[in-house]
Amino acid sequence: MAFSLATKALAALFIGQALAHPLISTGQHDHRVRSLQRRQVDISKFQLTTSTNYINAESGDSALKGFRSVSISNDYVKTAKDFVAKTFKDAEFRVADDSYVGVNGVAHVYFKQTAHGLDIDNADLNVNISRDGTVFSYGDSVFKGEIPPPQKREFSDPIPALKAVSDVLELGISAERASVEATEAHEEYKITRTTGADSDPIATLVYFQKPDGTLGLSWRVQTDVITNYLMTYTDAFSPESILGAMNYVADAIYEVYKWGVHDPSAGVRTLETDPWDTTASPNGWHSSKGTNYDTTMGNNGYAQEDWDADNDYASGYRPHSADLKFDYPYYGNETNPHDYINATVTQLFYTANMYHDLLYLLGFNEAAGNFEDDNGSKGGKGGDPVILDAQDGLGTNNDNFRTLPDGQKSRMQMYLFDVTTPNRDGALSADVVIHEYTHGVSNRLTGGPANVGCLNTVQAGGMGEGWGDFMGAAILTKADATRDTDFIEGAWVINDPKGIRDYPYSTIMTRNPHTYADIKGVTEVHDIGETWATMLYEVLWNLIDKHGNTADARPTFGEGGVPVDGRFLAMKLVVDAMALQPCSPTFVQARDAVVDADVALTGGANRCEIWRAFAKRGLGKSASGTKVADKFDLPEGC
Ligand SMILES: *[C@@H]1O[C@H](CO)[C@@H](O)[C@H](O)[C@H]1NC(C)=O
Ligand SMILES: *[C@@H]1O[C@H](CO)[C@@H](O)[C@H](O)[C@H]1NC(C)=O
Ligand SMILES: *[C@@H]1O[C@H](CO)[C@@H](O)[C@H](O)[C@H]1NC(C)=O
Ligand SMILES: CC(=O)N[C@H]1CO[C@H](CO)[C@@H](O)[C@@H]1O
Ligand SMILES: [Zn+2]
C-alpha cells in the first residue's frame, strides 16, 4: 500500500467533474449525443459501466466499525489515508486534489487507484469523515483483481488509438500526417497536425477495468469535434476495441453584467465561464434529470420571452447554443427591445441561477423547498424550476413573482419600463431580479415550503417587499463600501437616481428617517417594506463593522457553518429567520426571529449588534406588534 504523489491536472479534472462533482451528466438525452446520432453512431452504447460499492455506518462493516486514526492530528486527509491503507492493503492510491469539508462538517476525501504509476481511470474511492474524526462511510470502485505486470508500448501508439476512435465513432478526424508530442503530464500526449478536430486531441495512458473484470492498459483519447467533447477509452493493444466513451461538455459562457453589478449603468458586460457553484448546482445550470439543454433551461429555471403574455414557457423564444456560448449583443440604444431578447434572456437566466446558488449555500436548499426541477433525493419536492419570463407583455414599469407551494412551478415576470427612452428592461437590472426572486424565498420559507399563504397580512406583506430590497442591497454592496454608503433600489429601470422608493437605504437618519412608527395605519406594502428593509440595512452594517466585508460572490463558512464576514452573515441570519418566524409574522416577531437565528447559528454572538440596529429604528425591546409605536430601548446586557 503506497500513495503516489503524482497529481495530474487532467486526471484531477476528470475525477472532480466526472465523479466527485459531475459537471453535466451524460445521459442519452444529451444534445451532443443527439448530434452524434445524426451521424448514425449512438454513443450511449459505449457508456461506462463501473459498479461502485457504498458502505455506511449502518452496514456493520468490520473495517468501518470503530476505525479511528492512530494519528493524533485532526487532519482529515491523514485519517482517510490511514483508513484506506488499512482497508485496501494491496492497492496503491493517490489523493485527488478536490477534498473538502461539507457544510454539515463531514469531510469528503477522494482517491484514485493507481498501478505502476498510472491511474486506473475507473477505480475511485471516496471516504467520508465525520466531525469527530471517525470514518462513517466510503464508496469504492477499486479494482480487486490481479494487477498485470508492466507492459511495453511504442511512443507513437496514441495515433492508432485516435484513428480507431475516430473510425468507430465516425468523428471525421484525419490523423494521416499526425505526430505526437509529450505534454508535461505523466504519459500524456498531444496529437498534432490532425484535421477535422476543433483542438488537438489528447491521449493519456491509463489502466482501465474492463467489462470482463480484468485490468488492461488503455488510451484515454479526448476529442473536441464541433459540439462533441468526448473522452474515449480504447484497449492499448487493440485500439479498435472501444472500452467506453463519455460525452464531456465544454465550458458554458455567458456575456452578462456580472453578479455584483447593480444594473447596466454600473458596469460593462463581461464573459463569465462556468459561474455555477458545484454544491448548489452539481450538474451545472443546463442539465436536469439526465437531460442536457443547449438553451436557457436547466434544473433551477427556464428563461424565455413572454411577449404575448400567454405564460406558455414551452413556446417562449429562448436562445440556443450547441456549445453553451451565450454571448449576444446589447448596446442600450436599441429602440426595439425585441432586438436584444437573446441578451436579456441570458442575463435573467444568469442572475436567477447565481441567486439560486447563493441561496442554496445560505440554507435555501431542496429540503427547505427551493426552486428545482430535480430534488436529487435531497428532500423537498422537485418539478419546480422557476419560470423566468423576460419582456413579459402583461404589463410595463413593474415586475412580479407568483409563488406556488414546493413542487409547483413559480413564475417571475419581468416587464419593460416605458417611462424611459429607449425603454429599459427589468431583467437586465440585478436589484429588481433579486427583489422578485426573494418573494419566492420568503413565501416558501415562512410557514413551511408547502404553505405560501403566510405573508398576506399587512405587516407580513410589507416585510415581503422589504426582504427583496434588503437582499439586493446586501448582495450588491461592494467590499469597499462603508456604513455611509447608500443603496438605491430601481434607479436604472426608471432612469432616476432617486430610484423607486421614497428614500435611499442608509444608516444615516437624515438621509433615511424611517422608523417603526412610519408603518402605523399604512397599508401599501412597498411603503411598509421600506421601513423593514431600512432596519435590516442597519443590521447589515452593524455586522459588517464587526466582522468585515468581502468582495467574494459567495460566502466562506467558518466553524459551525457561520459565514466569516458580516455581509453574508447578515444574509444568512435573515434567510434563517424566515424559516423560524411564524406564519403571518409581525415586525416584532420577525425581529425576534433574526435574534433567534443568531442564537441558533452562533450562540447569540451578535445579539447586541442586532438589537441596536432594530432599536435605532424604533423596533426596540418594548415595541408592540399590534400597537405600532416607536420604542428605542435595548434588552438587558446590550
Ligand atoms: C458521503 O457523505 C455524503 C453526505 O455528507 C453522502 O451524500 C455521500 O453519499 C457519502 N459518500 C460516501 C462515499 O460515503
Ligand atoms: C448603438 O450602439 C452601437 C455601439 O456603440 C453602434 O454600433 C450602433 O450603431 C448604435 N445603434 C444605433 C441605432 O444608434
Ligand atoms: C438570437 O440568437 C440567435 C442565435 O442563437 C440568432 O439566430 C437570432 O437572430 C438572435 N435574435 C436576435 C433578435 O438577434
Ligand atoms: C417529491 C419529489 O419530487 N421527490 C423526488 C425526489 O427525488 C427523487 C430522486 O431524484 C425522486 O425519486 C422523487 O420523486
Ligand atoms: Zn415586490
Side-chain angles (χ1 to χ4, degrees):
M1 161 77 222
F3 292 94
S4 113
L5 284 177
T7 45
K8 288 190 249 166
L10 191 73
L13 185 73
F14 180 51
I15 296 161
Q17 303 192 330
L19 296 155
H21 316 283
L23 181 68
I24 299 274
S25 64
T26 52
Q28 309 200 0
H29 307 288
D30 187 310
H31 64 272
R32 289 163 180 79
V33 173
R34 284 203 301 274
S35 61
L36 261 185
Q37 280 167 342
R38 264 185 256 120
R39 279 186 237 138
Q40 307 300 311
V41 176
D42 178 3
I43 193 181
S44 63
K45 283 194 320 207
F46 299 98
Q47 234 164 23
L48 306 192
T49 55
T50 313
S51 63
T52 303
N53 307 310
Y54 178 64
I55 312 284
N56 66 12
E58 278 168 28
S59 66
D61 182 75
S62 58
L64 262 188
K65 229 177 185 168
F67 180 86
R68 206 177 257 280
S69 176
V70 287
S71 69
I72 23 167
S73 83
N74 56 3
D75 175 350
Y76 65 86
V77 176
K78 170 91 170 66
T79 304
K81 281 179 173 180
D82 290 347
F83 173 75
V84 169
K86 184 162 171 268
T87 311
F88 299 92
K89 288 199 176 62
D90 301 321
E92 292 177 14
F93 296 90
R94 69 179 176 81
V95 179
D97 55 11
D98 59 350
S99 304
Y100 69 102
V101 179
V103 201
N104 56 3
V106 177
H108 311 275
V109 185
Y110 299 92
F111 297 89
K112 177 69 88 179
Q113 190 180 0
T114 60
H116 308 304
L118 298 175
D119 281 356
I120 303 178
D121 240 40
N122 56 347
D124 294 276
L125 173 63
N126 55 338
V127 180
N128 284 340
I129 314 272
S130 336
R131 233 187 248 272
D132 67 359
T134 57
V135 176
F136 87 86
S137 65
Y138 70 94
D140 85 275
S141 52
V142 167
F143 177 68
K144 280 138 188 151
E146 191 145 329
I147 308 269
Q151 286 157 287
K152 271 201 147 38
R153 61 163 194 90
E154 301 295 326
F155 183 75
S156 62
D157 280 356
I159 295 177
L162 172 66
K163 283 183 175 162
V165 168
S166 179
D167 284 353
V168 176
L169 300 181
E170 296 175 23
L171 300 181
I173 300 175
S174 162
E176 293 319 311
R177 300 172 49 240
S179 54
V180 173
E181 270 175 29
T183 75
E184 289 190 346
H186 184 52
E187 290 284 11
E188 182 189 284
Y189 304 89
K190 191 152 96 174
I191 305 174
T192 56
R193 301 170 62 200
T194 61
T195 57
D198 286 358
S199 59
D200 288 335
I202 306 275
T204 312
L205 191 66
V206 297
Y207 277 102
F208 196 85
Q209 303 184 69
K210 299 199 260 191
D212 68 1
T214 64
L215 190 70
L217 269 183
S218 165
W219 285 107
R220 181 182 69 209
V221 180
Q222 295 175 76
T223 49
D224 180 7
V225 185
I226 316 168
T227 57
N228 302 292
Y229 196 99
L230 300 180
M231 183 104 80
T232 311
Y233 294 89
T234 70
D235 186 308
F237 298 100
S238 51
E240 61 293 340
S241 154
I242 304 288
L243 303 172
M246 57 187 279
N247 219 325
Y248 197 88
V249 174
D251 293 333
I253 298 178
Y254 309 86
E255 186 175 8
V256 283
Y257 296 104
K258 189 182 168 163
W259 189 244
V261 176
H262 188 293
D263 61 62
S265 70
V268 294
R269 297 195 307 150
T270 50
L271 293 174
E272 300 302 313
T273 303
D274 300 348
W276 48 80
D277 178 87
T278 53
T279 301
S281 295
N283 298 310
W285 288 347
H286 297 272
S287 176
S288 176
K289 297 178 176 163
T291 300
N292 286 351
Y293 298 98
D294 66 355
T295 183
T296 47
M297 291 174 73
N299 198 35
N300 311 327
Y302 301 163
Q304 55 282 318
E305 56 73 23
D306 192 18
W307 292 319
D308 62 3
D310 69 352
N311 287 350
D312 180 9
Y313 65 84
S315 68
Y317 170 80
R318 49 178 89 81
H320 286 255
S321 169
D323 57 358
L324 301 182
K325 201 157 189 282
F326 297 94
D327 55 336
Y328 303 103
Y330 169 68
Y331 302 110
N333 59 7
E334 291 88 344
T335 49
N336 181 358
H338 293 199
D339 290 349
Y340 56 82
I341 191 64
N342 287 329
T344 285
V345 171
T346 298
Q347 182 75 50
L348 182 56
F349 182 79
Y350 168 86
T351 305
N353 272 284
M354 285 298 288
Y355 196 26
H356 164 277
D357 286 8
L358 169 60
L359 288 163
Y360 193 103
L361 302 178
L362 294 175
F364 187 51
N365 55 21
E366 292 88 350
N370 72 353
F371 303 98
E372 289 187 13
D373 187 30
D374 185 356
N375 66 6
S377 303
K378 292 173 187 159
K381 295 202 167 98
D384 60 347
V386 185
I387 305 303
L388 302 156
D389 286 341
Q391 298 187 358
D392 198 295
L394 189 67
T396 51
N397 304 317
N398 214 335
D399 306 293
N400 68 51
F401 193 101
R402 174 166 184 247
T403 315
L404 295 179
D406 192 19
Q408 298 177 44
K409 292 182 185 64
S410 299
R411 180 183 304 276
M412 184 190 295
Q413 295 180 304
M414 302 306 292
Y415 298 166
L416 287 164
F417 286 72
D418 66 8
V419 291
T420 65
T421 311
N423 294 177
R424 292 193 169 174
D425 185 328
L428 295 173
S429 196
D431 55 350
V432 293
V433 175
I434 292 167
H435 175 99
E436 294 310 331
Y437 198 114
T438 306
H439 280 300
V441 182
S442 57
N443 274 308
R444 285 276 176 91
L445 285 174
T446 307
N451 185 353
V452 293
C454 286
L455 298 178
N456 293 333
T457 54
V458 174
Q459 285 195 24
M463 289 188 289
E465 297 302 333
W467 282 306
D469 285 7
F470 167 74
M471 288 304 284
I475 288 164
L476 300 169
T477 287
K478 301 250 185 276
D480 61 2
T482 71
R483 66 162 46 246
D484 291 349
T485 309
D486 294 350
F487 177 82
I488 300 179
E489 176 77 16
W492 181 77
V493 287
I494 60 163
N495 194 22
D496 179 345
K498 295 216 287 289
I500 56 177
R501 305 291 181 231
D502 290 341
Y503 298 102
Y505 291 110
S506 177
T507 63
I508 298 177
M509 297 300 295
T510 50
R511 290 190 213 151
N512 175 329
H514 277 312
T515 59
Y516 183 40
D518 290 0
I519 74 165
K520 192 177 167 71
V522 176
T523 52
E524 206 291 317
V525 285
H526 299 89
D527 289 343
I528 297 169
E530 257 191 77
T531 297
W532 179 244
T534 301
M535 293 173 177
L536 296 179
Y537 197 67
E538 299 280 0
V539 173
L540 171 74
W541 277 105
N542 285 359
L543 293 178
I544 292 178
D545 283 353
K546 180 170 176 181
H547 299 283
N549 198 351
T550 174
D552 294 349
R554 300 192 176 111
T556 299
F557 293 96
E559 208 155 307
V562 183
V564 297
D565 74 290
R567 194 162 61 88
F568 285 111
L569 175 61
M571 290 185 231
K572 171 131 183 78
L573 293 178
V574 166
V575 170
D576 284 357
M578 290 178 193
L580 290 176
Q581 68 201 3
C583 189
S584 306
T586 61
F587 267 46
V588 165
Q589 289 165 335
R591 173 205 65 196
D592 288 348
V594 176
V595 174
D596 287 351
D598 181 55
V599 171
L601 185 69
T602 71
N606 306 291
R607 177 170 175 262
C608 292
E609 285 75 12
I610 296 168
W611 271 111
R612 274 198 290 273
F614 285 112
K616 175 177 169 186
R617 296 289 177 169
L619 198 64
K621 178 75 182 132
S622 58
S624 153
T626 45
K627 285 191 67 191
V628 174
D630 283 337
K631 299 288 173 185
F632 300 98
D633 55 330
L634 290 166
E636 224 165 285
C638 288

